[in-house]
Amino acid sequence: MQVKTGDLDLAYQIPANQAAQITDPAKLYVTSQYGSLYIYMNHKSGALGEVGVRKAISAAIDRRQINEIAFKGQNRVIGGFFPTTMEGYDPTANVNRDLNKAKELLKGTSCESGCTIEMMQRAGYPPYDTISTIVAANLKEIGINVEIKTVDQATANTNEGSGNFEMEVGGLYDVVNSPELIMLTYGLVPAGGINALFSNYRNSELTSLHQQLIETAGEARKPLLDRINKIFAADMPYVPFGDFATLWASRISPRIIVFTAAGSFQVGTKSLAPGQ
């Protein structure tokens, strides 16, 4: 509201349900950062230890609906581990919703005839609350009942660390375009410190590829990243659905101030653009 009236020039991390209130001369922006948004999945928690259930959830969620509602259609949807902004991004990863495929993937799993999965939600953490609601509605169509449990920040952190949760919407990002630094270390390597994004996922080949990537430069990195993408698609340790993105609004031209993929603001002048 203060940006709209001119009392403030800029607002950061705007909730999706308030983004529509941004009107001229203020403008709404969505910036994709060096990271991805995922549905975290704890493999030690019942059905989510089954790859068929995880893949079915990936096939059943409506990524474009999430984008339209949570990001005003301005984010980029993804179906693989890496975001569109980062080296290793897989443009061939499927982002289309396919309920028939999802139901087929559930055959032979503990969710074949229906199941209930609890989704932890951090209180006051937009747009994740909106996304959780959409995911719950999407999965209901394949017989998975999602119960959203809202907890405070401290409890959410404790539950993640102790593995006391089943699913959760969250993200992982870096400030540079180097997937081996943060994204792979914390997202897919168990020794990274957060059990491969709290999933308890283990894959020795992936761990080896991560180390090789650290030691490799230039074009030789591509086949390593391609193999990482194939392993991720086969195991689907958790479900990606979009770039890690931030909604912000400004009354100042983006030629003067802009929010970058690195997660920081750059300021220019009347003669120099941001970053110059």
Side-chain angles (χ1 to χ4, degrees):
M1 183 59 69
Q2 287 179 300
V3 171
K4 186 175 179 180
T5 60
D7 292 330
L8 289 175
D9 290 318
L10 184 145
Y12 172 66
Q13 290 186 328
I14 298 174
N17 60 359
Q18 296 179 22
Q21 298 176 30
I22 304 298
T23 56
D24 286 335
K27 295 188 182 301
L28 178 72
Y29 300 94
V30 179
T31 298
S32 292
Q33 296 173 233
Y34 295 128
S36 301
L37 292 170
Y38 306 103
I39 303 173
Y40 297 175
M41 296 179 169
N42 182 0
H43 295 195
K44 291 187 176 180
S45 183
L48 294 173
E50 302 172 56
V51 65
V53 173
R54 300 194 300 269
K55 286 186 172 182
I57 291 173
S58 181
I61 63 169
D62 192 332
R63 291 169 171 83
R64 291 183 176 86
Q65 182 186 30
I66 292 171
N67 185 27
E68 287 296 325
I69 295 175
F71 297 100
K72 299 303 175 186
Q74 296 187 51
N75 196 7
R76 301 164 185 160
V77 298
I78 60 171
F81 176 74
F82 297 107
T84 66
T85 54
M86 185 168 274
E87 177 190 20
Y89 165 63
D90 181 9
T92 68
N94 189 24
V95 297
N96 297 318
R97 192 182 194 209
D98 190 335
L99 292 178
N100 290 330
K101 180 181 178 181
K103 291 173 183 177
E104 187 68 27
L105 286 163
L106 288 180
K107 289 182 179 179
T109 73
S110 56
C111 289
E112 180 176 4
S113 300
C115 63
T116 296
I117 298 175
E118 185 177 275
M119 175 169 278
M120 182 171 70
Q121 170 60 45
R122 292 172 180 264
Y125 216 74
Y128 296 172
D129 49 0
T130 300
I131 296 168
S132 295
T133 301
I134 298 169
V135 169
N138 289 165
L139 298 188
K140 188 174 183 180
E141 295 185 57
I142 60 169
I144 296 179
N145 177 44
V146 176
E147 294 182 347
I148 299 175
K149 181 181 179 181
T150 302
V151 299
D152 59 44
Q153 297 281 10
T155 301
N157 291 339
T158 299
N159 289 348
E160 286 176 345
S162 63
N164 185 30
F165 78 101
E166 293 187 293
M167 289 199 310
E168 177 191 11
V169 173
L172 184 65
Y173 66 95
D174 202 344
V175 297
V176 292
N177 184 6
S178 297
E180 67 270 28
L181 297 182
I182 296 293
M183 292 294 289
L184 288 170
T185 300
Y186 293 104
L188 292 176
V189 178
I194 55 173
N195 289 320
L197 210 55
F198 312 108
S199 66
N200 293 291
Y201 172 65
R202 301 287 187 274
N203 186 295
S204 58
E205 184 184 357
L206 250 176
T207 299
S208 175
L209 287 165
H210 172 246
Q211 184 58 42
Q212 291 176 58
L213 198 65
I214 293 172
E215 301 167 354
T216 305
E219 289 298 316
R221 292 167 62 86
K222 188 178 186 306
L224 299 175
L225 291 163
D226 288 346
R227 181 58 185 159
I228 289 170
N229 282 325
K230 287 182 180 179
I231 294 172
F232 184 88
D235 293 348
M236 194 62 65
Y238 38 82
V239 174
F241 59 86
D243 285 350
F244 189 99
T246 295
L247 282 77
W248 59 287
S250 176
R251 298 172 65 88
I252 304 172
S253 166
R255 208 193 68 75
I256 301 297
I257 186 167
V258 67
F259 189 67
T260 70
S264 61
F265 285 98
Q266 288 186 343
V267 181
T269 69
K270 290 183 178 179
S271 58
L272 295 175
Q276 292 186 331

